Amino acid sequence: MSQHHSSHTGMHTSISEILKAKTLKSSRRSLPCLAQSQTHPQNLNHFLSVPLSPEPKTYSHSVSASCTHITPPPTGKHEQTCLCETCLSVLNYCFIFANKILLNALINFQGNNLENPSGLMFRDGKKRIDYILVYKKSSPQVEKRCTFERNLRAEGLMLEKEPSLTNSDILFVKIHAPWDTLCKYAEQMNIRMPFRKKCYFTDWKKKTMGGRFQLRFRQLKSWLPRNPMKLDKEALPDLEETDCYTAPFSRARMHHFTINNRETFFSNSTRSRIVHHVLQRTKYEDGKSKMGINRLLGNSTYEAAFPPHEGSYKSRHPIKTHGAQNHRHLLYERWARWGIWYKYQPLDLIRRYFGEKIGLYFAWLGWYTGMLIPAALVGLFVFLYGLFTMDSSQVSKEICEANTTIMCPMCEGNCSSWTLSDSCVYAKVTYLFDNGGTVFFAIFMAIWATVFLEFWKRRRAELTYDWDLIDWEEEEEELRPQFEAKYSRKERVNPISGKPEPFQPFTDKLSRLMVSVSGIFFMISLVLTAVFAVVVFRLIAMEKFASFQWEFVKKNWQFATSGTGVCINFMIIMSLNVVYEKVAYLLTNLEHPRTESEWENSFALKMFLFQFVNLNSSTFYIAFFLGRFAGRPGDYNKLFHRWRMEECHPSGCLIDLCLQMGVIMVLKQIWNNFMELGYPLLQNWWSRRKMKRAGEQNKSKEELPQWDRDWNLQPMNAHGLVDEYLEMVLQFGFTTIFVAAFPLAPLLALLNNIIEIRLDAYKFVTQWRRPMPARATDIGIWHGILEGIGVVAVITNAFVIAITSDYIPRFVYAFKYGPCWHVHCKAECLRGYLNNSLSVFDMGELKNGSYHPRYRDYRAPPWSPEPYDFTLQFWHVLAARLAFIIVFEHLVFGIKTFIAHMIPDMPKDLCDRMRREKYLMQEMMYETELEHLQKERKKNGKRYHHEWP
């Protein structure tokens, strides 16, 4: 769209230029290009609360200026024809402009004469609100606030105050950044802006490949059914391909940049980021550390500071017929609604509205969810394989048919002997998760974790290229106010900025770090104490359920013991999580991190360690310690000389591990989803209830200005995205670490993440204030944590298969002691495995009779020369377990390393595109500068040549 003032000459644009002007394509890569798209809020948000009818998108308000500057017509014959055409065009434009004036007047009348009902402009309806500050009139910090606001005006910002319509004690400070201020700080912050139409690397590449193949491929693609997961480009015009290059903004080279409209050149998120940059560096008192909005928020000078939302997220009319009112409305309709749960996420729109940091989180979450699809399918196939072959399992058959096999009592006192066939159902359920596909699935998931991380690096590289983050280097962060206040007396010259700043001595830093580490170990010991308490509960419950009067409970005492133990453990986990968050916050503040990123990384690491140990400690106990120290009949190991240690079922301990993982994973995901959505909803409902009770809400919610509506929303939590990443990383650990025991874990994670994406989207769009759009090139410390989990997953799965599962004992029996070893025939290789894995005990030693019950172990019978000693088969099985662990780990780590080296972190096509674009950018800069200097010489009447001046 053209405007009546040129960006660098200041001359009016003629009618012919307006007629020739073409609608600009919106850019996918450049944020500033996106800011000038046809659906930018500048065209929609002036009268947001009133529905507008569709308008021609190729017209602009700037036509009014052109209609008042018409050149006198020529007098020739041919010129009269041109004159008629020109007059008709001018009359057409003026008629459209008159209709717009009438429409705006009608809208103002329908809006009950409200000034700026959308709440996105100053009272004059021209200056856009870029940031909102909130303070209480009763606040005593008047002098600091006045000084701060005076300095903000000195920096070039415009301020306007507005009282709240819902609270008489609240006052809003609306901030607007003029064009000159935006240009000044955009240059300081090296913000990249568009400067020339893009020449695609793929354009000249396709020419060399020939057009016939491309044509046939497009025809074949058109015959295929449309992918239902893709977003409709007509409903999302902001997601069109890019058409311009970008470069760091410079006022001296402003003529290089594509400035069609000063009001839309800088997008809303860019304007808010610039204002936030000014707010962080403006002083409120004399002194080196007396600056920044963060400190003013900390000492209650201001109650809140946030960029405003771009209007309401709902509309009275459907988006398909009337279009989107603003980007927030577009995000809600095409991202946050539950009806489009199967659609791809509009990442470019998310990035433009919330910033690159939040955009990368949703990109990573979407990539992780998509990668879970093959893992969930393979895990489901492994589970179905166990389900369909359950009846043909030789071990289950022998357990179900062992009506005469008497087993040793499971507890002391009233417990009696039981027959092995009583646990038939338990054995069949165990086979569902402990079958031949266990080893394959463990190897698959270890490789899957590596492929997921390696391909995420490639995806991240593409996003950083599309979002102009390749050459972006994080600017020197400002110091945290707490750090400045603590170490303001000791200063040292910053080697980067060359300015003196507060300095933390090494001895002080070391002592605080040691206190923090001690606190971490103390909390981990608290977790282990809780696990020990759960173990004691399981021992007591096992004894009670095994001697229960109700026959159903007595028959299924294993399920009853495991189920109640898991529920108690889950309640302890959720209770300790509340304590851990407060302790982690306290320990992190005790360390006094220098910058906000250091604080966030330190806090994230502590929260991960606490919750990882809290969530997985009981699982590690069941996987590697349950039944290992039970002893034998006549010589059982007892805890506190009172409770007999728990032992595994004859079919193995894997079902206990499976039950532990399934219950905790399902309950934790349900609880987290409820808290993520339920807590903000309840808080917002309570704030609306207080407003109604006080009788201060004289207007409906739709008629409130945007700053009042945003103030009544909940702020984004102080930890930023730590809680969001932490939940997904812990789920990733559950999905990979013990996946050999629970093949359905990826499927449960996939179903949860499909809900999680829309929950987070709904929360960000509707329930939270708009967070500050921040830039980032990666997911930060979480990538290293994910790689560490991948290494731990290989080790734990190797131990689960070798120790917890019965895969190795069955393997040793089949190839060493079974019928297939002695006789070369097609007989069942596991025939007789159950009898071989059970040892004999003489109850006469306990004076409880003379019968000989069985128990699970590889020990010599009581009539042998060395009764109850380990047999040779026990040592064979132990050696096979250790050999399997070594072979499995080396094999999987070798495959992971090979795959990591085979998959480059950046696609070759992207590398070539970047190199070519760098070359083209240099050429364009040279040509643009040459053309500009030649125009300047021609305008000044000087002679010029084609060579560089």
Side-chain angles (χ1 to χ4, degrees):
M1 291 182 290
S2 301
Q3 68 180 106
H4 63 285
H5 288 289
S6 177
S7 61
H8 57 277
T9 61
M11 300 185 66
H12 294 293
T13 306
S14 64
I15 295 294
S16 59
E17 290 175 346
I18 294 178
L19 297 177
K20 293 178 182 179
K22 296 182 180 180
T23 305
L24 288 177
K25 274 189 176 182
S26 57
S27 166
R28 178 171 175 269
R29 179 185 173 208
S30 171
L31 185 146
C33 290
L34 286 169
Q36 303 181 60
S37 73
Q38 299 165 0
T39 60
H40 194 274
Q42 176 69 17
N43 302 329
L44 298 170
N45 61 10
H46 288 289
F47 307 101
L48 193 58
S49 62
V50 182
L52 297 177
S53 59
E55 296 179 356
K57 295 183 178 180
T58 56
Y59 306 137
S60 173
H61 293 288
S62 60
V63 179
S64 59
S66 300
C67 290
T68 60
H69 295 81
I70 303 176
T71 308
T75 56
K77 181 177 180 181
H78 297 287
E79 294 169 345
Q80 290 179 359
T81 305
C82 298
L83 174 63
C84 293
E85 295 178 355
T86 304
C87 290
L88 287 175
S89 301
V90 172
L91 290 174
N92 186 25
Y93 271 82
C94 293
F95 176 74
I96 293 172
F97 177 69
N99 286 339
K100 286 189 175 184
I101 294 176
L102 293 175
L103 178 62
N104 292 342
L106 178 61
I107 290 174
N108 285 330
F109 177 76
Q110 291 177 351
N112 297 326
N113 295 326
L114 287 176
E115 289 186 0
N116 185 26
S118 67
L120 296 174
M121 297 287 172
F122 276 27
R123 295 192 189 96
D124 58 7
K126 298 179 180 179
K127 300 181 182 65
R128 180 186 305 177
I129 299 175
D130 299 318
Y131 220 88
I132 298 291
L133 301 180
V134 186
Y135 70 88
K136 291 183 178 180
K137 298 178 183 177
S138 57
S139 173
Q141 310 286 351
V142 178
E143 185 177 353
K144 293 180 181 178
R145 190 164 52 246
C146 292
T147 304
F148 184 70
E149 293 174 4
R150 183 171 60 251
N151 292 336
L152 288 179
R153 292 188 179 94
E155 292 291 337
L157 300 180
M158 296 183 179
L159 278 63
E160 184 179 77
K161 296 186 178 182
E162 194 80 27
S164 173
L165 299 180
T166 60
N167 191 335
S168 58
D169 192 34
I170 294 296
L171 203 64
F172 297 98
V173 180
K174 301 177 288 185
I175 301 178
H176 167 74
W179 170 256
D180 293 336
T181 305
L182 291 173
C183 293
K184 171 185 174 183
Y185 284 100
E187 183 176 11
Q188 292 182 9
M189 298 169 65
N190 290 323
I191 295 178
R192 302 180 69 88
M193 305 303 290
F195 72 94
R196 182 62 69 90
K197 180 177 174 59
K198 192 164 198 175
C199 176
Y200 288 100
F201 167 74
T202 54
D203 291 342
W204 64 268
K205 190 176 181 180
K206 287 180 181 178
K207 295 179 182 179
T208 60
M209 296 175 62
R212 183 176 299 177
F213 174 77
Q214 295 292 333
L215 181 61
R216 291 182 179 179
F217 179 76
R218 291 176 183 174
Q219 291 177 351
L220 178 63
K221 191 175 180 181
S222 64
W223 295 339
L224 298 176
R226 183 171 175 266
N227 187 357
M229 299 176 68
K230 288 186 177 180
L231 291 164
D232 188 7
K233 288 298 183 70
E234 295 179 359
L236 290 173
D238 296 300
L239 303 183
E240 297 178 5
E241 295 297 325
T242 180
D243 65 343
C244 57
Y245 293 106
T246 61
F249 185 78
S250 172
R251 287 178 292 177
R253 297 176 179 268
M254 193 176 294
H255 52 276
H256 288 177
F257 297 93
T258 308
I259 306 177
N260 298 296
N261 189 343
R262 290 186 174 185
E263 296 298 324
T264 60
F265 181 63
F266 294 103
S267 68
N268 284 352
S269 59
T270 304
R271 298 172 69 99
S272 299
R273 190 154 58 92
I274 292 174
V275 174
H276 183 73
H277 177 85
V278 179
L279 292 175
Q280 286 182 318
R281 288 156 178 80
T282 302
K283 290 187 176 183
Y284 59 86
E285 283 184 4
D286 292 334
K288 296 180 180 179
S289 62
K290 304 295 184 179
M291 66 172 60
I293 187 63
N294 292 336
R295 300 202 64 177
L296 292 175
L297 291 173
N299 58 28
S300 299
T301 302
Y302 289 99
E303 297 296 320
F306 52 88
H309 276 296
E310 295 180 1
S312 176
Y313 63 90
K314 288 186 178 180
S315 175
R316 301 175 184 176
H317 301 279
I319 191 173
K320 292 183 178 179
T321 57
H322 289 71
Q325 289 186 344
N326 51 72
H327 289 147
R328 189 188 184 195
H329 180 214
L330 190 61
L331 280 172
Y332 176 77
E333 293 290 337
R334 292 294 180 262
W335 182 46
R337 284 195 307 111
W338 296 103
I340 55 172
W341 60 270
Y342 58 94
K343 295 285 188 180
Y344 291 138
Q345 299 184 90
L347 294 179
D348 292 324
L349 197 59
I350 298 170
R351 168 249 183 170
R352 184 205 303 182
Y353 195 82
F354 293 110
E356 286 80 2
K357 191 172 185 179
I358 295 177
L360 276 173
Y361 163 72
F362 282 104
W364 176 83
L365 181 57
W367 182 257
Y368 171 47
T369 304
M371 289 293 292
L372 280 173
I373 295 177
L377 291 176
V378 175
L380 182 61
F381 289 152
V382 171
F383 176 78
L384 293 177
Y385 168 78
L387 182 64
F388 293 143
T389 61
M390 182 171 56
D391 294 332
S392 62
S393 171
Q394 181 64 27
V395 178
S396 299
K397 285 182 180 179
E398 293 183 1
I399 291 178
C400 294
E401 295 172 358
N403 297 322
T404 59
T405 304
I406 306 300
M407 302 298 294
C408 291
M410 296 303 299
C411 62
E412 308 289 341
N414 298 328
C415 296
S416 59
S417 301
W418 54 287
T419 58
L420 186 58
S421 59
D422 294 340
S423 60
C424 177
V425 177
Y426 197 89
K428 289 184 176 181
V429 174
T430 301
Y431 180 78
L432 290 176
F433 305 98
D434 189 6
N435 51 63
T438 301
V439 179
F440 163 74
F441 191 56
I443 297 176
F444 172 82
M445 287 303 297
I447 298 175
W448 172 87
T450 302
V451 172
F452 160 66
L453 292 176
E454 292 300 321
F455 276 96
W456 162 246
K457 294 178 183 178
R458 296 167 62 88
R459 176 61 175 157
R460 185 196 66 84
E462 294 175 356
L463 288 175
T464 52
Y465 168 76
D466 291 338
W467 293 352
D468 278 336
L469 297 173
I470 292 292
D471 298 327
W472 178 76
E473 296 181 0
E474 189 172 1
E475 62 182 5
E476 181 68 13
E477 289 188 86
E478 66 173 4
L479 301 179
R480 298 184 73 242
Q482 296 84 350
F483 182 86
E484 293 178 338
K486 180 67 177 178
Y487 301 104
S488 58
R489 296 182 180 180
K490 298 181 180 180
E491 291 186 349
R492 188 181 66 173
V493 177
N494 189 316
I496 298 176
S497 63
K499 299 178 181 179
E501 66 178 16
F503 168 69
Q504 183 181 19
F506 176 76
T507 54
D508 184 79
K509 184 176 182 178
L510 181 61
S511 61
R512 292 179 178 277
L513 185 62
M514 293 300 296
V515 173
S516 179
V517 171
S518 302
I520 293 174
F521 278 106
F522 174 76
M523 296 307 298
I524 292 177
S525 64
L526 183 62
V527 175
L528 300 180
T529 304
V531 173
F532 181 75
V534 175
V535 171
V536 174
F537 171 81
R538 288 175 64 98
L539 297 180
I540 300 173
M542 177 190 68
E543 185 175 323
K544 296 298 181 183
F545 289 137
S547 59
F548 210 71
Q549 298 297 327
W550 191 8
E551 188 64 25
F552 177 78
V553 177
K554 185 177 181 180
K555 188 176 181 179
N556 299 281
W557 60 269
Q558 295 101 332
F559 282 114
T561 302
S562 299
T564 54
V566 169
C567 293
I568 295 295
N569 187 38
F570 176 75
M571 288 189 289
I572 293 176
I573 287 173
M574 301 311 296
S575 301
L576 289 178
N577 281 346
V578 179
V579 179
Y580 292 152
E581 182 174 353
K582 298 183 181 301
V583 173
Y585 193 84
L586 178 64
L587 293 178
T588 306
N589 287 334
L590 182 65
E591 294 177 5
H592 285 296
R594 180 175 171 271
T595 62
E596 288 295 333
S597 62
E598 291 180 6
W599 188 96
E600 185 175 334
N601 290 337
S602 179
F603 178 78
L605 184 60
K606 290 180 179 63
M607 285 294 294
F608 170 75
L609 289 176
F610 287 158
Q611 295 209 21
F612 181 82
V613 174
N614 185 32
L615 195 64
N616 294 284
S617 54
S618 58
T619 311
F620 271 92
Y621 164 76
I622 293 175
F624 305 128
F625 298 100
L626 180 62
R628 310 299 167 199
F629 309 101
R632 63 171 181 83
D635 189 22
Y636 282 116
N637 297 322
K638 295 183 178 181
L639 184 64
F640 301 135
H641 303 286
R642 171 64 180 85
W643 296 290
R644 205 176 87 184
M645 297 297 294
E646 195 174 358
E647 55 185 315
C648 291
H649 186 266
S651 59
C653 286
L654 201 66
I655 187 62
D656 295 275
L657 179 59
C658 175
L659 185 62
Q660 174 86 6
M661 290 186 58
V663 172
I664 289 182
M665 190 171 185
V666 171
L667 291 180
K668 191 174 188 301
Q669 289 180 349
I670 293 175
W671 175 261
N672 287 339
N673 290 337
F674 171 76
M675 289 300 296
E676 282 192 18
L677 184 61
Y679 187 67
L681 283 174
L682 289 175
Q683 285 185 316
N684 291 334
W685 171 81
W686 183 251
S687 63
R688 292 193 300 268
R689 178 183 173 86
K690 288 194 300 183
M691 286 160 39
K692 291 180 180 179
R693 182 181 299 177
E696 295 172 343
Q697 188 175 11
N698 299 322
K699 302 177 183 298
S700 65
K701 184 179 178 182
E702 287 73 15
E703 293 176 347
L704 286 176
Q706 190 61 47
W707 55 78
D708 248 323
R709 281 182 277 174
D710 289 350
W711 167 247
N712 292 321
L713 296 178
Q714 297 303 311
M716 187 176 178
N717 56 52
H719 310 147
L721 294 172
V722 171
D723 293 340
E724 312 296 333
Y725 276 115
L726 180 62
E727 180 185 354
M728 290 296 102
V729 169
L730 290 174
Q731 183 203 84
F732 178 81
F734 245 70
T735 306
T736 55
I737 291 180
F738 292 104
V739 74
F742 192 48
L744 294 179
L747 179 62
L748 293 179
L750 174 63
L751 297 177
N752 174 79
N753 287 6
I754 293 174
I755 300 174
E756 179 74 21
I757 290 177
R758 304 305 161 181
L759 267 180
D760 287 345
Y762 184 82
K763 181 174 60 179
F764 272 89
V765 174
T766 69
Q767 300 302 311
W768 279 359
R769 297 173 193 160
R770 186 177 182 179
M772 179 60 219
R775 307 201 85 187
T777 58
D778 203 349
I779 60 177
I781 195 176
W782 300 106
H783 192 279
I785 293 175
L786 290 172
E787 290 183 336
I789 290 177
V791 174
V792 174
V794 176
I795 301 173
T796 53
N797 281 303
F799 276 87
V800 166
I801 296 172
I803 297 177
T804 312
S805 169
D806 269 7
Y807 178 80
I808 299 300
R810 292 196 298 263
F811 182 84
V812 172
Y813 176 82
F815 293 97
K816 180 63 178 177
Y817 298 96
C820 294
W821 174 260
H822 298 290
V823 181
H824 295 285
C825 61
K826 297 183 179 180
E828 178 62 51
C829 294
L830 290 178
R831 183 186 303 166
Y833 167 76
L834 179 65
N835 185 65
N836 177 265
S837 62
L838 298 177
S839 300
V840 181
F841 178 70
D842 184 9
M843 292 296 292
E845 298 181 9
L846 302 178
K847 299 180 181 180
N848 290 336
S850 59
Y851 64 98
H852 296 84
R854 312 294 295 274
Y855 64 96
R856 176 185 169 88
D857 211 341
Y858 294 102
R859 292 182 182 270
W863 52 80
S864 66
E866 297 179 351
Y868 306 119
D869 280 354
F870 290 116
T871 62
L872 182 62
Q873 187 175 355
F874 170 82
W875 300 108
H876 285 167
V877 171
L878 180 61
R881 293 181 193 270
L882 297 177
F884 176 83
I885 291 173
I886 296 174
V887 172
F888 182 89
E889 289 182 355
H890 282 71
L891 175 65
V892 176
F893 277 130
I895 296 175
K896 285 170 64 71
T897 305
F898 176 76
I899 292 176
H901 283 285
M902 286 294 295
I903 302 176
D905 293 346
M906 186 176 292
K908 184 179 183 301
D909 180 68
L910 181 59
C911 294
D912 295 341
R913 194 185 314 167
M914 290 170 54
R915 293 174 60 186
R916 176 168 176 79
E917 288 192 5
K918 187 176 181 180
Y919 167 77
L920 292 176
M921 285 173 62
Q922 294 175 351
E923 293 291 324
M924 290 177 186
M925 294 289 285
Y926 172 83
E927 293 174 0
T928 304
E929 189 68 23
L930 179 61
E931 180 182 355
H932 173 69
L933 292 177
Q934 289 176 348
K935 286 182 179 179
E936 290 292 327
R937 287 194 171 188
K938 184 177 181 180
K939 184 174 64 175
N940 296 333
K942 297 181 180 180
R943 299 182 61 182
Y944 64 95
H945 304 279
H946 290 288
E947 69 272 7
W948 184 263

